Amino acid sequence: GQRVETLVLQLPTQGRSPGGPVVNDAGELVGLLVAKEAALGQVGYAVTATEIRRFLDAAWPKGPPRTWDGLVARGSAWLRDSLDAAAD
């Protein structure tokens, strides 16, 4: 499988923490909290901002859609391409 760059963090996590931003001392986004260690409660895992950028660049090679119609058009094209690839 593909490797994903992650951060292992020691921090107190709360029940609904996954999905929250991880920032550095300068307030810059460095990751997104995606999981926590249930048994330990003090360990969290975050996907890095670099991985988020890679994902967005692959998902939206032309940049993010600027309108709802643009989002729907891209989603429809992606679904059509995915179904065509699955049929091959």
Side-chain angles (χ1 to χ4, degrees):
Q2 183 178 357
R3 291 186 170 260
V4 175
E5 193 175 289
T6 58
L7 302 170
V8 179
L9 309 164
Q10 182 178 356
L11 71 163
T13 59
Q14 297 175 354
R16 301 200 184 272
S17 292
V22 178
V23 297
N24 63 15
D25 290 338
E28 301 165 324
L29 179 70
V30 295
L32 183 69
L33 191 61
V34 294
K36 66 177 185 171
E37 194 70 47
L40 303 175
Q42 296 286 317
V43 177
Y45 301 93
V47 64
T48 66
T50 301
E51 287 293 337
I52 295 167
R53 174 52 51 204
R54 284 185 194 134
F55 170 78
L56 291 174
D57 288 346
W60 294 334
K62 298 177 186 174
R66 299 191 187 280
T67 66
W68 176 253
D69 290 338
L71 178 62
V72 170
R74 287 195 196 178
S76 297
W78 174 84
L79 180 59
R80 188 173 43 254
D81 292 346
S82 297
L83 291 174
D84 289 346
D88 290 341

